[in-house]
Amino acid sequence: MPTWSPRTRVVHAGRPDPVPGAGVNVPVELSSTYHAGAPVSYARSGNPTWSALEDAVGGLEGGRALTYASGLAAVAAVLSLVPTGGVVVAPRHAYNGTTGLLAAEERAGRLRVRTVDVEEAPAVEERLTGAHLLVLETATNPMLERPDLPRLVRAAHEAGALVMCDSTLSTPLLRRPLEEGADVVVHSATKYLSGHSDVLLGVTVTAETDAGRALHERLLTHRTLHGAIPGPMEAWLALRGLRTLALRVEVAGRTAAWIAGRLTEHPAVRRVRYPGEGALLAIEVVGGAAGAERVCAATSLWVHSTSLGGVESQIERRRRHPLEPPTVPEELLRLSVGIEDAEDLWADLESALDQAAPASR
Ligand SMILES: *Cc1c(COP(=O)(O)O)cnc(C)c1O
């Protein structure tokens, strides 16, 4: 389907061949073993429902995908590409599960980690000497810092390091990091790709080059031996969610841009972080941590919960998590904009901000 736009491909990718009488959707394949005589004989190494999802996401990213039990399992699989004692350079504000995993690997003596401010390209370049892997996110979560991807990819490759780019916040509709030179793209498909807050799932995608195919084989072997495989039902749900990805990303992105503009004018908001695309925002509110918690408690439409990328809008003070780095402001709220009516969302948020910070009016 190379001539179709991504908006069309999310609807049709990964469907079975059009055989008369057969279903238009791939079935949920529930079998742990297969009749002998074919390459896949046991379901830890492959499953037709995963394959449909992998074909779809791989096609959208322009590479070859593998699916995992969660986004963090996909990140862990990529870290397995680094030799014992190897050096990983990572954003200091990377997703907190990723920083937590890196810290645990470092404490165990498996990896050495150098954290960087990803917006300071020259400083990142300096730290790449002797590195094996550069971890990037298209925008960091929740600080929404944006790395200069092509520049850092070039520097990492010159230093002999692989580049993993977590594109969870961007989806293949907004960014395709393989085209910008990244070696492995990672998704927490739990978020936008699935889109309904009802499934955990991860994906890696590697390029259709000799080097990319070699990485794919290493990752496949790792998945089979470590067993961080998704359930077939989860893969099916993710593929079902993917069908509406373009609609969801377009509506949520439009609403997020509009709400970001309104927020800059609200007296209870000190700073708005909005990377200019996607549906994630972060705001710093007056009144410190307590003021921020009051905003979360005062919303009725925005769901006060962790995670992002669902159809429902979510709000959360990130520092309520002990793993969140102290350089993330106490009063920072992460807003994941969903697909509800924009006016309804703004009315609920504005009233929560008014109530929580009345003195600023
Ligand atoms: C949620 C998230 C992850 C981890 O994914 P899980 O599916 O929760 O394991 C990784 N990276 C980013 C950017 C995320 O938002």
Side-chain angles (χ1 to χ4, degrees), residues 282-332:
I283 57 174
E284 291 164 34
V285 296
V286 299
E293 288 293 347
R294 281 197 300 273
V295 175
C296 296
T299 57
S300 48
L301 178 54
W302 294 74
V303 181
H304 182 199
S305 59
T306 198
S307 198
L308 58 101
V311 288
E312 73 289 358
S313 295
Q314 291 175 275
I315 186 166
E316 182 185 34
R317 187 176 77 86
R318 287 300 289 174
R319 283 289 300 282
R320 76 191 177 100
H321 299 287
L323 266 184
E324 203 68 19
T327 41
V328 172
E330 281 277 10
E331 65 278 14
L332 181 139

Side-chain angles (χ1 to χ4, degrees), residues 184-197:
V184 188
V185 174
V186 163
H187 282 282
S188 170
T190 308
K191 316 292 169 50
Y192 292 102
L193 298 187
S194 298
H196 294 73
S197 305

Side-chain angles (χ1 to χ4, degrees), residues 64 183 206-219:
R64 219 173 258 217
D183 300 287
T206 43
E208 291 286 6
T209 58
D210 286 348
R213 278 189 282 274
L215 285 176
H216 172 89
E217 287 308 318
R218 288 174 69 191
L219 290 168

Side-chain angles (χ1 to χ4, degrees), residues 70-72 95 98 137 141 166 168-169 188 190-191 200-201 308:
S70 69
L72 214 44
Y95 169 68
T98 302
E137 296 177 354
N141 172 5
D166 184 330
T168 299
L169 268 48
S188 170
T190 308
K191 316 292 169 50
L200 268 90
L201 202 106
L308 58 101

